[in-house]
Structure formats: structure tokens, C-alpha cells
Amino acid sequence: MKKFNIRKVLDGLTAVSSPSPSPQLGAKENELIPETLQSEHFQICKTVRHGFPYQPSSMAFDPVQKILAIGTQSGALRLFGRPGVECYCQHESGAAVIQLQFLINEGALVSALADDSIHLWNLRQKRPAVLHSLKFNKERITFCHLPFQSKWLYIGSERGNIHIVNVESFTLSGYTIMWNKAIELSSKAHPGPVVHISDNPMDEGKLIIGFESGIVVLWDLKSKRADYRYTYDEAIHSVAWHHEGKQFICSHSDGTLTIWNIKSPAKPAQTITPHGKQPKDGKKPEPCKPILKVEYKTTRAGDPFMIFSGGLSYDTVGRRPCLTVMHGKSTAVLEMDYPIVDFLTLCETPYPNDFQEPYAVVVLLEKDLVVIDLAQNGYPIFENPYPMMIHESPVTCCEYLADCPVDLIPALYSVGSRQKRQGYSKKEWPISGGNWGLGTQSYPEIIITGHADGSVKFWDASAIMLQVLYKLKTAKVFEKARCKEEKPNTEIVDEDPFAIQLMSWCPESRMLCVAGVSAHVIIYRFSKQEITTEVVQLLEVRLQYELNDLESPEGGGDQTPAPPTPSTSPSPQTAAPQTHTSTSSNSSDGIRDNIPCLKVRSSPLKQSPGYQVELVVQLVWVSGEPPQQISSLAINSSYGLVVFGNSNGLAVVDYLQKTVLLNLGTVELYGSNDPYQRQLRSPRKSRQPSGGLCDINEGSATSEDRCKSPTSVFMSNHQQFFNGGGRGAKMSRKLSLPTELKPDLDNRDNSFSRSRSSSVTSIDKEAREAVTSFYFCETYNRKTDGGLTPSLWVGTSLGTVLAISLNMPPAGEQRLLQPVIVSPCGTLVRLKGSILRMAFLDSTGSLLPSAFEPWYEPNAPANGEERDKVRKRRPVSVSPSTSQELNENQYAVLCSEKQAKVISLPSQTCVFKHNITETSFVLRADVVQINTGICVACFCANGHIMTLSLPGLRPLLDVNYLPLTDMRIARTFCFTNLGQALYLISPTEIQRITYSQEVCENLQEMLGELFTPVETPEAPNRGFFKGLFGGGAQSLDREELFGESGAGKAPRSLAQHIPGPGGIEGMKGAASGIVGDLARARIALDERGQKLSEVEERTAAMMASADTFSKHAHEMMLKCKDKKWYQF
């Protein structure tokens, strides 16, 4: 009879959603082990986003606040100040950001989107929010311009019209410049969209309008008519003014630049084709690629700068995108690694009517941000301090460790600082606005990313910042093919054969183990000294499934398992490095056997300080069958062991003695007690074995219709991570999804996850049981055990947990001489779905850390005795008094794709059980420490984030956070201690989140401030005679011209005003309670005081100016007093 599941009716209200197998024992355990965590301790909140903005589309810079804004094609906004000050915002519509305009030194930003809406962002709060929005209904926005210190925003449209918006109220002015009035009879055709608007630097009443067709109009705002019209027969891409307002420059689609005098509209004063070949007969130069943008910047001391993107000759095929800097007679062509999206010249003054004095150029590329120093010879670039090169090679896996050992970050930084490139500009990074947060979070955090090119990067993630510490290149261990013809035909991937798939790290001992996509495992030791390794130590492992893989399934389902052939030799295998010639056999019929996928380098390997290769382990081809990809990995520094598994079985390697201790097919782990009927079945007869994978879609009758957890079928995206430390045991990570969920957006990003089985059928795959997780521990393997023994627990894709006993030799010299004896102990427990996570609690419910070895310098000249003193295992603490009372010493926490169980040891009784999900499956599960307690944190394929208490498995949090839209999210999502988690939100960006209520409340203090009160620079001095006789900058009363009294109201149907959520809404969830209110009040008072002081200073300056003027006037009067009119 089917049990009634009350959880579907009262979701989250029951302590345990399904009956415990031992209710009396469960109640007793719960009374004796109090749980401190409650649901109010949990809250989901995004904290910060790191990395390069994915698919950037626009850029703006505030020259006074020194803040950079970047908009993206998905409607995201990224704001950058000084290193460590960055902010992420998102437009609700998700439309592409086509243009950004700062209200300079006002703490506000205007964004224009591809859905024809404009938005005003308030940057005077730590989490910027939209104050106003305006959605155009009948016009398509193509260009925006906001003059410095003006509240009137010019908006050009696709139809060629210009509308004017008051940025304070976000209302349209009745003043409109219609395209037909602008061009009148100068052209018979429509001039095309508006591509440029800007006012004359010396006369705010004159507006230059550039149309795409090649027409430029100088518009008089007061008289509402065109003063001049300039026509060129090539399309215009951009326009820029000379600061004196007498000349402007246009860039065109044929690679030319035209310079015009404003009072000579007949023809350009000068036409330049910077990259065109000049014919000798005086004809026009050959057309070049379009110049997409040009900027014209002047200097007091020398020649002006003309900076532009594009314009290269068409015969430069294959040449990289370029930025050209023309200064006087010199022309510098700066090649970029990626296409240029936009660029901005940074100048000393925000005033357009003064000498600009450019000092740097910010170049926004499709996948990078480059800042060029214009003041130094050779135009060196600044070293980018932001963590923008996460995607230097696509990220294939990711891990996160909070509260790691305090000496770890300095150690990684000291070896990583030697890897820095030379030749950068000596000046400070010019984007230096904002202030850091004042958060109290002080624990060290590390993020590790594995990449497609085989590199591993370590990042300092403390205090919601991110800085690269150290980069390890694992591909150095292997020989590289110089060309495609040289590529060995044993490779099982088309590209990225060195891609990192799994990482296992012991932070206390600093031992690192990585598994690559070519079925290889590399073990690294950390050293501060440089060494040269003459021969890289290599082990080759023949991991073979015990069923007859090569027999065709058409022969019926009656194959019997081959006799087990475990290679469990107690005596050490040869530690000598093996060569490919001695082990491989490639017969004349082409069957590959005993050949690894990659060739380890034979020449000496120079290893810099940092991570140095200890041992390489490679799986080999077996009878023409390629090795299956590694699906699980773990390292333990106390035991000196590494274990890895795949869909064939597992191998245990002693990396101290360089031997394979165990090489078993999965079935051989069970011994004679195998609960499953293992045979190759036809699809029609395929049924789920009991206790195996469970259905996701209820009510489906046939196996073809079932949406099974795909672990046993698609094992290519398994990832695991083992934390040998004492801060919450992260043990193993498994990732697997149906192929229909895999994105086709970035094939390179997912190239490593393709199926690589040449002859193994999907039927055979379904029959296989893969190893999905490991955990090293000191525990009870049998019910009769009287004491703790070193053990390795193994989880499989069919939900089985098995144990392997480890008989360790004495520490010291004996450890290197005597063999480690490993012996399987059989099945312990079974769960629904693939095993993801295992952890152990002591009798008081505290988390038991794995044993580890403290780090020591492996290349130190110290004698063996001193080293042996350091190398001691950390004992596992068990309280004897409590153990005697309960007669139970430990609890094993087991989490699968479907459910979680807590098992009492050594009795192996299930004391708590919880069905996590019925209709989905868990992608990532971690046992983590938060506040004073521990819990299981889960991320499901349906986007839910859940936490369960320990040991009672009570649901504490269940939030539908993130719908799984991309395989990348599943592959990189990970939880860590203290309420932190992260995932890759895009191929270039890491999103960090918290599930801790305490961190959410303190987040406002931790975030940096974008806006800081800064005095606006003084306007350029016009000089007395210019002020007296004219010739200086002409001001314009825009309020009188564009206001309602002067221009009337705009038609309501033209645009719709949408009030934004404003400042307080933007802070919701980030600053709640009295702390946030006080902070906001303090900021408001600071700003008010700053404004009052500014008013006082301006008043004093005006009085001083008036005094000076009266003195000059009096002196002039005295000089001219006795002169006749003809003497002037």
C-alpha cells in the first residue's frame, strides 16, 4: 500500500516529510542532540557580481566622480570605481543598453535601452535604483546627449527627430526638432536616423545634429532654424567638436575623416583617409573599413589628439581590431585582442570649452577592458585591477571555500606575485571613484576556478571583493602538438584536451588534485622553492568494467558477469615512470590498447614556486575502448591517498609510494552481495532496479517516457571537491543533466561535456553503475566494530553507499616502506538517486573533520626526523561519556539526488530521512556550517535552494531562486560555510549569493559607496576682454526655451512616464532595521552639509569676482577719462 505523503499538503510545516524507519530512536536522538538553527536564520540575497560584463554594448565615464559605467545586451549595468568598488544593477525589461550618460558629479546616470525607454538611476545609494523611466511609443531612440551641468536631455530618433526631456521630472518638453525642418530643401530624401547630437562648446544655443546619410546640421535653438547644413556623400558614424567650437570632425563609412569649419558648409576644410593608400595620380584613396567613432581632444602644450576605432584598409585580412591614435605627425595603431565595442578618452576637465588635456583612453572590447596611458611614450596600458579575466579560458568548474586557514592567502599571493607581467604604465589606475564598505566580515575566503585550457586559478574572495592570487597551468605536464597533423589519434576530445573537470583540495596540507577531461589525474604539492623535475612520475591505470562491453546487446539479456579480476596487490607496483612505447600496443587492425589519451612530457620540467607536480595518473584505452571520463575524485593528505572513479569503477592511488592500491569495477565492490541484476537489456525490457533511480514525472508508464535522474547515463559533467579541513566537510561534487538542458550558446564552453564513447551503446551505459562521490574518514565500517578505523566511503549513481577499509602503516619512514592494505567492506545503505554528498557528525551533532597533514616545505633540506614530527594525523574527537550513554558514536549524513538520510553508527540504523524532491533532482548538496549550527544546503534542477537541519533533517529554507536555464549554472553552483554560495551567471561573471539572514542584514555596511561628495572643478577663466567684448562661451536659458511656459506640453501619446521604485525600494533586503535608517540619515546629512558648504564657497567666489571686476572697471575708467574718441 502506498504511503500518504503529507508534505505535499503541508509543505515545510512537518519536521520530517516521510516517516522515519525508527520513530522511537529518532525522537530520542532529537531530544539528546538539540538543534540551534531555525528558519529565521536563513534568507536568500544576491551579494556581489564579479568578472567582465557579459556582451557589453555601451559605456560612460564621470570625469569628476571617476566612475565607469558599462551596459550590456541583456540590460545589465555594471559600475566600477576604485579597485574593490563595483556594483551590479539590472533593467527589468532586459533590453540592450544602447547608451549611457552620467549627470556629471550629480550621482545619477541616464540609460537608454533598445526597447525605446530611458531610465534615471540614483547612484547616491549603495544599491542604485531607478527614479524615473520614460517609454517612447512612436519613436525609436538612436542617440542621447546631456550637456554638462544641464537638466535637459536631447534624444535623437530613427525618424530623424529630436525630443527634449527634463531629467529632473522626466517629462517631455514641447520643443521638438523635426527632421524636415532641419534639412529643408538640402536633400530630397530622408536623412536617416540621428547618429549624433552635441552643443557647440562655445555656444550652448547652437546644436549640431548628424544624420546617418551624411548630412550635418547646425541648429539654432533660439531661432528654431538651421544656421548651416554640411553635406558629404558617405554615411556618418560619429561627430566630435574642437573645444573652441569653430571646427568639428566627422567619421565616415568609407574610412575617411572630414574636418569642417562651421562657417564653411560648402566643403570640408580637410579630408583624411588615415589608413588608405594614396594614389600617385591625385585620385581619391582606396576606400577603407568604416571609422565607427572619432574623438578630437586638444592640449595646451602641443598638437591635438585624434583617436578613432576602425578605418583599416580592406586588404588587411586577418588583422586584429585596432584603435588609432594620431598626435601631430605620429600615428600609432594599437591592436586589440577582441572587437572594439566603444571607447572613451579621459580628460583633465569636464568642461567642453576648455583645453581637454587627455591622459588616458578606456577601450571596451567584447571580452576585455583596456585602459591606455596617453601621457607615456609607446602608449602602455594600465594593469587592470578588476577581476575581469575570469573567462581568459572558459570556466569548466568552480569551488568556494570560506573561513580557510589564515596563512593560505598570503602563501598563494607570494608565489602568484612572481607571475605578474611587466611593461604596464607606472601611473595609478585612473578609475578611482567611490569608497570601500565598512563591513566587519573578516574571515578569509578563496574561490578556485578550473578552465578549458587546463589552468587553475586561485582567487582571494574575502570581504566581497575578488583578486587573483595564483595561476597554475596543468597543461605543462604534457607534450603539446604543434599542428593538427601531430595530434595523437588517441585523444577523446576534439578540442581542449587539458580541460579541468574536477578539483579536490586539502587546504591545510595544500595538496591539490585535478582531474582532466582526457581521463587524467594530476597530484600537486605546494612549495615555495623552484625545482627542476627530470622525469615526471607517471602511473597508467587500466580501469575496466566487468561486464562484456564489446558483446552486442542483440544476443539477448543473458550475459553473465566476467570473473572479477581486481588488481589488489599488497606489494607496491613499480614506481618507475612508464613510457608509452613499453605499455601501449596498437595492433595492425587498429585496436588501441593500453594507450593513454595524452603524452606526458619526457624532457625535464622546470617548476616555479607554487604548485609542483607530484604524480600523473592516466587511464588507458582498453581493447579499442576509450577510457571513461572521471566522475569523482578525492584526496586525503593524512593517508597520502587519492581516489577517483568513473562509470567503470574506481582506483585508489598511494601518491607517497607512487602505486595503485586498488583497481576495481563497481560490481566488484559488492562482492557476492550484489543486489542488482546486471545485464545488458533491450530498451523494451528496461526497468529500474529497486532502490535505484526514481521517476521524476509521476504517472509515466514506459521507461522511454520517464524523466529519470540522468546520472547513470550522462556522467560527463561530474564534479567533486573535498575539503580535508575542519570547517564543514565539503567532500564530493556531482553534476549531471539531460543533454536537452545543455546550451548551444557557447559550444566551446561545453565542448568537454560531449559523449566520447565510441562503441559503448546507451543501453550498456544504462546498465552501468558509476562512482559519484567519495569521503575519507575514521569511522565504523561494520556493525561489530569496536573502534574507529581509517575508511573510504564510496557513493554510486544507483544510490548505494559502500565502505572500503584502509589499513595504514605506522607514520614516518615505515609509511614509505610498508604497503597500505585496502579491503572492500560491502554495502552500508541505499538511497534513491545518485549519491552526492557524505559527512560525519560526532555524538553531540558536531561536524567531524577529516584527518589532514599540516603543510610542510617538501623541498626543504631538513632531515627526515624533523619532517616526521610535522607529519602527524589530526585525531578525530569523540566524547566518551556521551558515547557510552547512547551506545552510538557517530552519525553519517548522506545526501542523494532525491533524499537525505542520517545513519547512526556503528549500528547502521537510519534515524532520520527526508525526501528532498519528488519532481526534480538535486544538482549540488553541501554540508555547511552557519552561525552556531550545521545544515545540508541543496540546489535543485528546478531552481529551488533548500536547507535542512542536522541531524534532524528539518526543512529550514525552500526558495525558488533561479530557474536552471544553462548547464553552466549547474556545473559551477557551490555552497560553502558561513552562508555563502556562488555560481557562474554568464561565461564571464561570477554571482555570489548568501543564504544567511545575518549576512543579508550586514550587507549594506559591506557594500562600497559609488558616490562621494567632490567639488566640481572651476569653469575655465574666460579672461576680462573676452567677457567684455564677447568671444567666450555663450550660455543659454534652457528653462525659458524648453520649459512648459516657453514650449508648451508634448503630446501624451509620444511617451509614457513610469515612476521608478526609487531609493528606499532599491535598498530593500540590503539595509533593513535601524542600522540602515541611521546610515541613510547620516548620508543625507553629509550631502546636505556638503551642498550648504558648496553654496557658501560659490557665494564667496562670486563676491571676490565682483570686487575684481569693479577694480578693473575703475582702472579702465581712469585710463580712458581724458582720451578723445579718435584716440581709442
Side-chain angles (χ1 to χ4, degrees), residues 159 179-180 183-192 211 213 215:
R159 292 182 179 178
W179 69 270
N180 52 352
I183 67 163
E184 284 190 350
L185 300 175
S186 63
S187 171
K188 294 178 182 178
H190 189 280
F211 294 96
S213 64
I215 298 174

Side-chain angles (χ1 to χ4, degrees), residues 212-214 231-238 249-260 268 270-278 283-293 308-315:
E212 189 181 68
S213 64
T231 307
Y232 193 72
D233 54 5
E234 291 291 339
I236 289 177
H237 284 280
S238 73
I249 186 169
C250 300
S251 72
H252 299 277
S253 58
D254 64 345
T256 58
L257 296 171
T258 53
I259 300 173
W260 301 79
Q270 192 178 358
T271 303
I272 313 166
T273 310
H275 296 296
K277 293 177 181 174
Q278 299 291 338
K283 292 182 181 178
K284 283 179 70 176
E286 293 177 9
C288 295
K289 294 174 184 175
I291 295 177
L292 300 176
K293 184 175 181 179
F308 60 89
S309 61
L312 292 177
S313 172
Y314 278 105
D315 60 8

Side-chain angles (χ1 to χ4, degrees), residues 287-301:
C288 295
K289 294 174 184 175
I291 295 177
L292 300 176
K293 184 175 181 179
V294 63
E295 292 204 342
Y296 196 14
K297 303 297 179 184
T298 53
T299 59
R300 276 188 174 84

Side-chain angles (χ1 to χ4, degrees), residues 525 603 677 795 935 1112:
R525 217 182 259 283
S603 57
Q677 182 183 355
C935 65
H1112 279 301

Side-chain angles (χ1 to χ4, degrees), residues 852-928:
F852 63 83
E853 174 189 76
W855 177 78
Y856 64 91
E857 175 54 64
N859 300 319
N863 59 40
E865 289 179 13
E866 289 180 14
R867 187 176 292 184
D868 289 341
K869 288 178 186 175
V870 182
R871 297 178 57 181
K872 289 182 180 177
R873 288 198 305 240
R874 173 172 172 158
V876 176
S877 59
V878 178
S879 168
S881 59
T882 322
S883 304
Q884 287 161 11
E885 283 173 32
L886 288 175
N887 200 25
E888 296 288 347
N889 289 323
Q890 284 186 354
Y891 301 98
V893 180
L894 310 171
C895 187
S896 76
E897 289 179 326
K898 290 290 185 179
Q899 62 181 187
K901 284 184 180 181
V902 174
I903 308 297
S904 182
L905 297 174
S907 68
Q908 298 182 13
T909 312
C910 178
V911 289
F912 295 107
K913 182 171 85 169
H914 178 76
N915 290 329
I916 299 170
T917 176
E918 296 288 341
T919 57
S920 184
F921 54 94
V922 179
L923 288 164
R924 173 80 185 209
D926 286 295
V927 177
V928 291

Side-chain angles (χ1 to χ4, degrees), residues 589-728:
D589 58 357
I591 295 178
R592 302 185 185 100
D593 194 44
N594 279 359
I595 310 172
C597 302
L598 300 172
K599 187 177 180 183
V600 174
R601 65 183 290 164
S602 53
S603 57
L605 176 64
K606 183 180 177 182
Q607 304 204 66
S608 303
Y611 275 102
Q612 298 171 350
V613 179
E614 175 87 355
L615 178 66
V616 178
V617 184
Q618 288 185 289
L619 294 183
V620 296
W621 288 65
V622 178
S623 304
E625 197 56 40
Q628 296 298 306
Q629 284 188 357
I630 293 164
S631 57
S632 48
L633 178 72
I635 189 169
N636 185 281
S637 59
S638 177
Y639 305 150
L641 300 179
V642 163
V643 59
F644 57 90
N646 61 12
S647 57
N648 285 343
L650 64 86
V652 181
V653 173
D654 181 342
Y655 64 78
L656 297 176
Q657 295 188 25
K658 312 287 191 297
T659 60
V660 179
L661 299 173
L662 186 70
N663 177 358
L664 277 183
T666 318
V667 176
E668 298 170 79
L669 286 169
Y670 290 94
S672 59
N673 300 320
D674 188 358
Y676 303 114
Q677 182 183 355
R678 296 175 192 275
Q679 51 195 11
L680 300 182
R681 295 165 296 225
S682 69
R684 293 180 199 138
K685 295 179 183 177
S686 175
R687 290 186 59 203
Q688 288 294 349
S690 61
L693 308 175
C694 77
D695 294 343
I696 290 179
N697 294 332
E698 293 183 4
S700 53
T702 63
S703 63
E704 286 84 3
D705 294 331
R706 288 177 175 182
C707 178
K708 291 193 292 285
S709 162
T711 315
S712 62
V713 183
F714 303 102
M715 293 303 304
S716 56
N717 278 326
H718 253 33
Q719 289 184 303
Q720 293 185 310
F721 185 77
F722 165 71
N723 172 11
R727 296 171 181 82

